[in-house]
Every structure is written in structure tokens, then in C-alpha cells.
Amino acid sequence: MKIELNSPLDMHLHLREAEMLKLVAPFSAQSFAGAVVMPNLISPVDSLQKIKDYRNAIMTACGKENFEPYMTLFFRSYKRTELAAAKEHIIGVKLYPAGITTQSEKGVKDFDSIQETLHIMEELQIPLLIHGESNGFVMEREREFLTVYQEIATNFPNLHIIMEHITTTAAIEFLEKYENVSATVTLHHLMLTLDDVVGDLLQPHLFCKPIAKTPADLQALRQAVLGGNRKIMFGSDSAPHPRHKKECVGCAAGVFSSPVALPLLVQIFEEEDCLDKLQAFISDNARERYGITPLEKRLTLTDTPWQVPQAYGDVRPFYAEKQLRWSIS
Ligand code: DOR
Ligand code: ZN
């Protein structure tokens, strides 16, 4: 059996920098026509010069692959001239609440102070990508943050807002209320609940932000994605960390899923008998919501089983050592 995908896109990806970038970028470049690249580097990507330098480094790491990195600026207060100059080089601006996840210390501390920049973004039609979690109880963070989403979506009706890596029933319901709001969903959040992370022996390689939630939340996510919700795009949130940062005291958040993303997505959609919905989730919804035309790239997957290695370099991938049903050919 054979599945063809037309220009798959990963609308939320961490490529890191230096040696890690060289290690992980080829997996995304082989599987996808393009990816939205997150700006949370050690020194955040928060200027046009940094965007250009980072893009060049990514292109070098991807080699000859036909792959478009859609760059994002790290949210801070920007002047109109800065954003106007950056506009043609970016797909959006990524907002992190300060300290909420990996390398987000320079994120937003005071949400009252961001209005001016949002106003400019709305005028210039630059999308706003948000890591939407409060600093409350870990299982409630996403739900609590909905009030912030609501305020921004109401005050800036012409601003395209993307709720990144949503994990809850509440977020799915919220999404329906505002035409200017879209969302991404990861692979691992379509497969895991909190039980998989901490229910038995602690699984550091499944620890991520936002944390996987309840069985009911998992069901709601799967229903929305597999049911063909056109506002939801695939975004892997593939976030590699070296093993010593995962298998230690103070485990870093992130699941490295890019090598297995397409095979596992095909498997999920096949098992639920909705392969006809995969092309929209993996590409068409993103084209529509962002108004982008990706590079032409056809990916073929065949039902040839393979075993995921226990590590790529120093990084343990999602589904390590397990057998997958589908391979990219
Ligand atoms: O688990 C996560 N890892 N969530 C994020 O939001 C960031 C990411 C990272 O950069 O490691
Ligand atoms: Zn992320």
C-alpha cells in the first residue's frame, strides 16, 4: 500500500542551532516541504539580522533538500519600522509568556504592555503565534490562558492568532468562537495522556510543555483533528534535547518527533479510518489559514515496517526502539 502527501508542512518546529541544528534539520527537510521555525534560541531570534543569519544556518544544515523554513521573530516590543522591514522575511511573531518553557525567559511578563506591538502587527497583517499557558497549576495552564486569547482575539479582530500545540477540550471549544483564531496540534498530543508520562515509571522523553492531559482531552483533540477541523494545522513541536538534559535531575521539556512524524500520523489516520483527512491536516489547512503556497514536494509512504533507532546522535526520538508500520520512501 502507498500513501501520497502533497507538500506536507510542519507548522511548529524547534531546529535549535549549531551541532544540534545540523543533526536534526535533515529529518524535517526530508519529510516536509516547509516548517515554521521557532525563535527560542539561547539568544532569542528578535531582529531581522538574526532572522537572516538563522535562516542561512538552517538552509546550510538542510543541504540540497527542497525545504522552506518559515521564520518567526521572538515577541518583544517592536517598532513599526522593525516589523515592516521584517515582514517579508517572517511568517509571524511567536509570543512566549516569560519563563513558561525552554529559553523563554525573555518572554512577556506584562500582557498589558503588548498592545502597541499587536496593533502594529494587525495593521501589517503579521500573524501572532502564542504559547498559551498561564503560570498556574500545570494541568490548568492552557485553560486559564484562554482569557488572554479571548482578549487579544476580541481587541484585534483582524490579527491572525495561532494557538500553538493545544491540548485540551477547552481550547478546541474556544477555537470555534473566533474566525481569526487557528491552532496547531502535535503528534504526541494525539497519542499521549498524563498517564503515559508519569503513570508508571517516569518517562522523561515524553515530558513536554504543555504537558499531555486527560483521556477526555485526548479524545477531544483526536475528534477535532481526525474529524477534519479546518482551523487545525499539524505542528510537531519537535523539540530535541541531548540525553543528558532529559535523563537527569531537572528534565528539559520537549519531545523529538520529526523523524517519526509522518509515519506515525499515517498510522493514526489509517487506524481511525480517516486517511482522507490527512492531507488537509498536514498541509491544506495551513495554506488556507496562513495564505501560503508551499514548495512543490510529493512524499510517498509505503507500508514497509521499520524500527526506530534508540537514538540519533545524542537525542532519543519519540517511539525509540519501537516498530512503525509506515516508511517514507
Ligand atoms: O516541550 C516543549 N519544548 N515545549 C515548548 O514549548 C518548547 C520546547 C523546547 O523548545 O524545548
Ligand atoms: Zn514549541
Side-chain angles (χ1 to χ4, degrees):
M1 219 172 123
K2 193 165 103 163
I3 306 284
E4 290 226 326
L5 295 172
N6 191 3
S7 301
L9 297 170
D10 181 347
M11 300 308 285
H12 184 131
L13 176 65
H14 297 270
L15 284 176
R16 312 299 192 207
E17 51 202 313
E19 290 310 305
M20 185 63 95
L21 169 63
K22 287 184 202 150
L23 174 73
V24 302
F27 294 107
S28 294
Q30 283 153 22
S31 298
F32 295 93
V36 175
V37 181
M38 292 299 130
N40 61 330
L41 302 188
I42 295 165
S43 169
V45 184
D46 63 356
S47 69
L48 179 53
Q49 191 55 49
K50 286 183 177 176
I51 288 279
K52 287 180 177 171
D53 294 344
Y54 190 28
R55 188 177 196 282
N56 285 340
I58 293 167
M59 294 311 282
T60 304
C62 292
K64 292 200 188 72
E65 289 290 345
N66 199 19
F67 178 77
E68 174 78 42
Y70 296 102
M71 307 303 293
T72 59
L73 271 178
F74 191 97
F75 189 98
R76 61 171 170 80
S77 287
Y78 286 103
K79 295 198 191 84
R80 163 180 280 280
T81 46
E82 289 179 294
L83 287 178
K87 180 177 155 77
E88 63 176 301
H89 302 272
I90 59 173
I91 193 165
V93 177
K94 172 73 187 286
L95 186 157
Y96 291 92
I100 203 69
T101 188
T102 310
Q103 284 152 207
S104 62
E105 294 72 20
K106 298 225 171 85
V108 171
K109 292 201 176 86
D110 171 14
F111 277 85
D112 291 333
S113 70
I114 66 175
Q115 308 298 318
E116 181 77 28
T117 302
L118 295 186
H119 184 67
I120 300 168
M121 286 172 61
E122 183 182 43
E123 265 182 30
L124 294 173
Q125 286 294 289
I126 298 176
L128 173 67
L129 294 69
I130 304 187
H131 183 121
E133 289 194 284
S134 72
N135 53 15
F137 177 62
V138 71
M139 291 293 276
E140 298 297 332
R141 286 178 189 175
E142 185 174 286
R143 200 182 48 72
E144 286 175 3
F145 196 86
L146 292 178
T147 54
V148 180
Y149 276 126
Q150 180 167 12
E151 211 178 298
I152 300 176
T154 314
N155 291 344
F156 303 94
N158 296 316
L159 178 66
H160 183 199
I161 300 157
I162 300 92
M163 305 167 80
E164 296 294 337
H165 42 53
I166 57 171
T167 58
T168 56
T169 312
I172 298 277
E173 287 167 3
F174 178 88
L175 183 59
E176 290 317 308
K177 294 192 198 148
Y178 298 90
E179 189 33 51
N180 56 329
V181 178
S182 311
T184 58
V185 168
T186 73
L187 168 67
H188 47 281
H189 291 124
L190 287 174
M191 303 187 77
L192 305 174
T193 69
L194 185 61
D195 249 10
D196 298 297
V197 189
V198 301
D200 191 1
L201 296 180
L202 179 66
Q203 300 299 319
H205 293 281
L206 302 182
F207 172 63
C208 63
K209 300 287 181 70
I211 193 90
K213 302 291 189 313
T214 68
D217 290 312
L218 176 63
Q219 267 325 99
L221 279 188
R222 289 183 74 119
Q223 245 169 45
V225 168
L226 300 165
N229 186 318
R230 300 303 306 254
K231 297 177 94 180
I232 303 182
M233 309 167 272
F234 174 62
S236 70
D237 199 12
S238 180
H241 292 279
R243 292 182 84 139
H244 71 273
K245 295 221 166 150
K246 295 291 285 178
E247 299 166 7
C248 62
V249 177
C251 164
V255 174
F256 176 50
S257 60
S258 48
V260 297
L262 287 186
L264 273 173
L265 282 173
V266 171
Q267 192 172 316
I268 294 173
F269 279 71
E270 182 196 30
E271 280 165 7
E272 299 296 328
D273 201 16
C274 36
L275 276 172
D276 60 319
K277 302 286 195 320
L278 181 55
Q279 176 61 36
F281 179 55
I282 202 75
S283 184
D284 301 352
N285 296 352
R287 297 175 203 225
E288 251 170 58
R289 299 301 299 179
Y290 273 100
I292 52 174
T293 306
L295 297 172
E296 275 296 324
K297 189 163 176 171
R298 282 200 171 272
L299 264 282
T300 306
L301 289 102
T302 56
D303 55 349
T304 316
W306 62 290
Q307 184 166 343
V308 182
Q310 61 131 348
Y312 292 101
D314 196 20
V315 187
R316 187 169 169 88
F318 190 49
Y319 262 59
E321 297 176 75
K322 293 195 182 132
Q323 186 93 357
L324 297 193
R325 207 176 115 63
W326 291 88
S327 314
I328 299 172
S329 61

